[in-house]
């Protein structure tokens, strides 16, 4: 029947609860629509539940295809290259097994609470890192801070994956190119692996020269002010990485959720295989013993506690906006509390497990060259692109082991890079709704822009730019971002209100422990870390090269450019609101859904109870 001929004279609706109102958690309601036409009533009813894909506000949003897609995505993002090249070395350097005491302490009081907080924040508000701040509009600037940080990290993190891809291609030979010194890129200082040269600071291993001269061509640059043109081989590898990222992200979580089935699980398979091979090598047990040796006297050193706290801050991936973005695609009633415990625990266990793999090979290298373990133990890119390839090169079937190892590095890097990109894409698409219909084009714009800027890191002197970005892009700025985020949620929005939101989702209110951590412990911990990061700042350097003052200033400008979004947006928001000073402040710190209460003078944040309640 044509719509114009429907003469509806009466339309009413009623909502009747199916479950008693005393029950906790998401409730089903029955929506009854009654229409009267020509004296005849037509009734239809529908069961509506917020437990599916729809927020109580009625807003629909794409969700993960399966729950495991979300868990693998979070694990894949949090478990990255730093789990392999950073944690084991810190554990060895700071008292072995004794290092686990401060590490686990900070994990419990800060790491897990902040991880849980971000998952719950994204899942309830179903928005990216900027959009979630409709709960306290004046803090939206911190959303743009974390989006910018994720973008900056992408400029150099993708380059690490490109290096791994270059090494992977180079491993498909009968003899690995970093075994001997008879290559075109080698210098007179190069000495073959068979020589005991680690005690000689004037000699270089083939693996070191392959990385710095064969891959990076660092010898063709005199410093950061002499970069040169991009190397075509690394540019091609970087382009492959960008293409993989684009086709993993262009359709949203429906595609990325499938990619992580490979990228998040493959590292565990490879780590296990490498461990089984590593423990059979001579000297492996000495390396593992050194890794686990307990020196409780090291706990008296404040630096050990600082490094444990720093590792917690960066290893879980809090503050990049990724956890918020990923959880925003969950079903509303998903148990984010259980997810936080599972994924953060897996991340820490992976770090600990990877230490056995790394130190079994380092122990082998120590014995083979007849030098102390601290001569071969290192962290950072030098571990996975110099020391470990050098160890693999001495094994029978070295090419096969090299292929396996660099496939692991690729998968470790890809899903972490996907997470960072998704944070940027989701954060901006949710903030600027006009981009929703053009996700594929916007994703293409982001990845191509990232590729073009990353080209500066694959020049002859690109490692200097890489080091500068690594030093400043996500250091103090990310600690600052998480601190503002914790203050905004626990103090301005209110830890009691936040707990109500979680109870509405999972039917269980967070315990007193979590509420105390959110309101007091975690903010104090983060404030301490921000102060420490300033107090212990050291200018960046690469090997024996010290960066000029202007380069350090550029790095600080990069760091400040993300942090300054917090005050800039707060000033903009405050000035754009109507009314007197008190009215502006009330609107700025009150959730957007409660602005009608401000008009009636009912502002929770203007009461003492709001600030005292836990």
């Amino acid at each position: 029947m044509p719509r114009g001929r429907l003469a509806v004279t009466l339309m009413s609706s009623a909502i009747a609860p199916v479950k008693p109102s005393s029950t906790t958690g998401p409730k089903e309601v029955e929506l009854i629509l009654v229409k009267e036409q020509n004296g005849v009533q037509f009734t239809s009813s529908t069961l509506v539940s917020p437990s599916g894909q729809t927020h109580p506000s009625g807003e629909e949003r794409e969700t993960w295809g399966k729950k495991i897609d979300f868990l693998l995505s979070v694990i894949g993002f949090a478990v990255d290259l730093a789990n392999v090249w950073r944690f084991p070395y810190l554990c060895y350097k700071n008292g072995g097994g004794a290092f686990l005491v401060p590490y686990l302490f900070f994990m419990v009081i800060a790491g897990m609470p902040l991880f849980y907080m971000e998952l719950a924040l994204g899942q309830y508000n179903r928005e990216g890192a900027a959009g979630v701040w409709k709960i306290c509009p004046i803090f939206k600037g911190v959303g743009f801070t974390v989006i910018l940080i994720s973008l900056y990290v992408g400029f150099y993190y993708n380059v690490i994956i490109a290096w791994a891809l270059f090494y992977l291609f180079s491993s498909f030979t009968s003899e690995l190119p970093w075994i001997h010194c008879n290559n075109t890129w080698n210098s007179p200082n190069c000495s073959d692996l068979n020589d005991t040269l680690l005690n000689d600071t004037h000699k270089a291993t083939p693996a070191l020269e392959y990385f710095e001269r064969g891959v990076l061509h660092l010898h063709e640059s005199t410093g950061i002010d002499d970069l040169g043109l991009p190397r075509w081989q690394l540019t091609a590898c970087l382009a492959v990485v960008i293409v993989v990222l684009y086709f993993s992200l262009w359709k949203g979580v429906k595609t990325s959720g499938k990619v992580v089935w490979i990228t998040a699980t493959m590292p565990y398979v490879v780590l296990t295989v490498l461990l089984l091979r590593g423990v059979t090598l001579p000297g492996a047990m000495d390396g593992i013993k050194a890794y686990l040796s307990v020196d409780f006297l090291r706990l008296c050193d404040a630096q050990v506690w600082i490094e444990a706290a720093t590792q917690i801050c960066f290893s879980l991936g809090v503050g990049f906006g990724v956890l918020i973005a990923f959880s925003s695609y969950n079903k509303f009633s998903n148990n984010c509390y259980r997810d936080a415990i599972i994924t953060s625990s897996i991340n820490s266990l992976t770090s600990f497990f990877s230490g056995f793999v790394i130190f079994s090979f380092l122990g082998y290298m120590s014995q083979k060259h007849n030098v102390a373990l601290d001569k071969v133990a290192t962290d950072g890119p030098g571990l996975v692109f110099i020391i470990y390839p050098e160890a693999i090169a001495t094994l029978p079937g070295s090419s096969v082991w090299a292929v396996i190892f660099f496939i692991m590095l690729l998968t470790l890097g890809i899903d972490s890079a996907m997470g960072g990109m998704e944070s940027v894409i989701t954060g901006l698409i949710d903030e600027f709704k006009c981009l929703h219909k053009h996700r594929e084009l916007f994703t293409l714009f982001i990845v191509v822009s990232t590729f073009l800027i990353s080209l500066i890191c694959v020049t002859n002197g690109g490692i200097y730019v890489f080091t500068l970005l690594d030093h400043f892009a996500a250091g103090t700025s990310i600690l600052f971002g998480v601190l503002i985020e914790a203050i905004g949620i626990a103090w301005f929005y209110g830890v009691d209100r936040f707990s109500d939101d979680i109870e509405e989702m999972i039917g269980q209110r967070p315990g007193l422990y979590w509420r105390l951590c959110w309101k007091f412990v975690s903010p104090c911990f983060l404030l301490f870390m921000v102060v420490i990061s300033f107090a212990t700042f050291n200018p960046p350097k690469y090997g024996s090269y010290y960066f000029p003052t202007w380069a350090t200033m550029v790095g600080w400008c990069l760091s400040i450019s993300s942090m300054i979004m917090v005050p800039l947006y707060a000033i903009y928001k405050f000035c754009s609101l109507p009314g007197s000073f008190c009215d502006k402040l009330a609107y700025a710190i009150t959730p957007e859904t409660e602005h009608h209460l401000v008009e009636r003078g009912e502002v929770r944040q203007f009461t003492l109870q709001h600030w005292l309640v836990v």
Side-chain angles (χ1 to χ4, degrees):
M1 183 181 297
R3 183 179 301 176
R5 296 182 61 184
L6 283 176
V8 179
T9 59
L10 176 66
M11 183 181 294
S12 62
S13 65
I15 298 179
V18 171
K19 297 180 180 180
S21 59
S22 59
T23 57
T24 59
K27 302 176 181 63
E28 285 190 338
V29 296
E30 184 176 10
L31 181 65
I32 303 176
L33 183 66
V34 182
K35 299 180 182 180
E36 184 174 331
Q37 179 180 346
N38 299 328
V40 180
Q41 288 187 340
F42 299 89
T43 303
S44 62
S45 64
T46 308
L47 282 178
V48 180
S49 172
S51 62
Q53 303 177 14
T54 308
H55 185 269
S57 64
E59 178 184 347
E60 291 190 2
R61 186 175 180 84
E62 179 187 15
T63 59
W64 297 96
K66 296 179 181 179
K67 173 64 177 290
I68 191 66
D69 295 353
F70 165 71
L71 291 176
L72 289 176
S73 295
V74 173
I75 292 169
F77 166 71
V79 176
D80 67 349
L81 295 165
N83 291 74
V84 173
W85 75 33
R86 178 75 175 154
F87 177 85
Y89 177 74
L90 285 179
C91 199
Y92 162 73
K93 189 179 79 168
N94 294 302
F99 180 72
L100 296 178
V101 174
Y103 179 83
L104 293 176
F105 174 72
F106 289 127
M107 166 67 80
V108 171
I109 69 165
M112 282 186 174
L114 292 170
F115 200 92
Y116 181 16
M117 180 186 74
E118 287 206 347
L119 289 185
L121 179 66
Q123 182 172 308
Y124 185 83
N125 293 285
R126 306 180 72 75
E127 297 259 7
V132 294
W133 289 102
K134 58 191 175 186
I135 64 173
C136 192
I138 200 170
F139 281 90
K140 182 177 280 190
V142 75
F144 293 114
T145 293
V146 300
I147 289 172
L148 272 178
I149 291 172
S150 289
L151 189 62
Y152 293 162
V153 169
F155 294 158
Y156 69 91
Y157 195 85
N158 295 335
V159 176
I160 304 174
I161 309 173
W163 293 343
L165 187 61
F166 186 95
Y167 268 81
L168 177 64
F169 290 148
S170 302
S171 299
F172 287 101
T173 58
S174 58
E175 185 177 73
L176 295 174
W178 54 85
I179 292 180
H180 298 299
C181 292
N182 56 357
N183 303 288
T184 56
W185 57 79
N186 290 125
S187 72
N189 289 331
C190 183
S191 183
D192 279 347
L193 280 178
N194 294 328
D195 299 331
T196 302
L197 54 93
L198 291 177
N199 285 318
D200 189 348
T201 57
H202 300 290
K203 292 294 185 179
T205 64
L208 173 62
E209 291 212 339
Y210 179 72
F211 179 61
E212 292 191 341
R213 300 173 67 91
V215 179
L216 304 181
H217 289 259
L218 185 59
H219 60 290
E220 298 181 28
S221 171
T222 58
I224 195 169
D225 51 358
D226 178 29
L227 297 178
L229 296 174
R231 308 296 305 185
W232 72 265
Q233 299 95 330
L234 289 178
T235 300
C237 291
L238 184 61
V240 172
V241 172
I242 292 298
V243 169
V244 171
L245 286 175
Y246 175 71
F247 285 106
S248 299
L249 296 168
W250 71 319
K251 291 294 186 182
V253 296
K254 296 298 184 184
T255 52
S256 64
K258 299 300 178 284
V259 174
V260 293
W261 279 78
I262 297 174
T263 58
T265 57
M266 180 67 75
Y268 293 96
V269 176
V270 176
L271 280 172
T272 303
V273 171
L274 290 174
L275 177 62
L276 294 176
R277 181 66 182 96
V279 295
T280 64
L281 297 173
M285 289 301 112
D286 294 332
I288 292 175
K289 287 177 183 177
Y291 171 53
L292 296 178
S293 62
V294 178
D295 181 8
F296 284 110
L297 292 177
R298 294 285 289 136
L299 297 181
C300 298
D301 185 354
Q303 188 63 31
V304 173
W305 292 80
I306 291 172
E307 291 195 346
T310 304
Q311 178 65 14
I312 285 295
C313 286
F314 296 113
S315 67
L316 289 177
V318 175
F320 290 93
V322 178
L323 302 179
I324 294 174
F326 280 165
S327 61
S328 72
Y329 296 108
N330 276 334
K331 294 182 178 180
F332 185 72
S333 62
N334 175 66
N335 193 334
C336 54
Y337 169 66
R338 182 180 58 203
D339 294 346
I341 300 298
I342 291 174
T343 51
S344 59
S345 299
I346 289 176
N347 176 72
S348 296
L349 289 172
T350 303
S351 297
F352 185 63
F353 176 66
S354 65
F356 290 92
V357 181
I358 297 300
F359 274 86
S360 62
F361 277 85
L362 292 182
Y364 163 66
M365 287 293 291
S366 173
Q367 178 170 312
K368 183 174 180 63
H369 291 294
N370 194 29
V371 296
L373 187 65
D374 58 5
K375 293 288 185 181
V376 293
T378 185
D379 64 342
L383 174 64
V384 295
F385 292 112
I386 300 174
I387 302 297
Y388 216 85
E390 184 178 333
I392 288 175
T394 63
L395 301 176
S398 57
S399 295
V400 176
W401 291 110
V403 168
I404 292 173
F405 177 71
F406 289 112
I407 286 176
M408 180 191 74
L409 292 190
L410 281 174
T411 53
L412 278 173
I414 283 289
D415 46 16
S416 296
M418 284 167 52
M421 288 282 190
E422 188 61 57
S423 170
V424 176
I425 295 166
T426 296
L428 294 178
I429 283 180
D430 285 344
E431 183 62 21
F432 304 102
K433 304 296 184 183
C434 59
L435 297 174
H436 263 293
K437 296 180 180 179
H438 309 287
R439 180 186 169 100
E440 292 89 347
L441 287 176
F442 183 66
T443 302
L444 181 64
F445 170 76
I446 292 294
V447 298
V448 170
S449 300
T450 301
F451 169 74
L452 294 175
I453 296 175
S454 297
L455 288 177
I456 198 172
C457 292
V458 295
T459 56
N460 294 334
I463 188 65
Y464 299 124
V465 180
F466 173 92
T467 303
L468 197 68
L469 288 171
D470 185 39
H471 202 81
F472 288 102
T476 303
S477 55
I478 201 164
L479 296 172
F480 172 80
V482 183
L483 171 62
I484 300 300
E485 186 179 284
I487 292 173
I489 293 171
W491 287 90
F492 284 83
Y493 182 58
V495 73
D496 58 331
R497 180 67 181 274
F498 187 58
S499 299
D500 291 340
D501 294 345
I502 294 176
E503 185 177 14
E504 185 179 351
M505 289 189 295
I506 67 176
Q508 179 183 349
R509 189 176 179 82
L512 180 62
Y513 169 78
W514 297 103
R515 302 199 302 274
L516 286 172
C517 284
W518 288 330
K519 189 150 189 173
F520 300 109
V521 181
S522 295
C524 290
F525 167 80
L526 290 164
L527 179 61
F528 168 76
M529 290 306 303
V530 170
V531 172
I532 287 295
S533 68
F534 279 110
T536 60
F537 171 77
N538 291 312
K541 70 185 186 74
Y542 179 79
S544 59
Y545 176 81
Y546 287 85
F547 285 75
T549 304
W550 68 263
T552 302
M553 295 302 296
V554 169
W556 273 116
C557 289
L558 182 77
S559 184
I560 292 171
S561 69
S562 58
M563 292 189 285
I564 204 171
M565 296 302 295
V566 174
L568 283 182
Y569 188 86
I571 293 170
Y572 157 75
K573 189 66 180 180
F574 190 82
C575 294
S576 65
L577 291 169
S580 64
F581 178 87
C582 287
D583 290 337
K584 290 175 180 284
L585 183 61
Y587 281 116
I589 63 178
T590 301
E592 293 178 359
T593 55
E594 297 179 3
H595 279 187
H596 62 283
L597 298 178
V598 177
E599 298 169 3
R600 300 206 301 259
E602 301 175 11
V603 183
R604 289 185 300 113
Q605 289 84 347
F606 286 176
T607 63
L608 184 61
Q609 181 185 4
H610 169 81
W611 300 97
L612 296 180
V613 71
V614 176

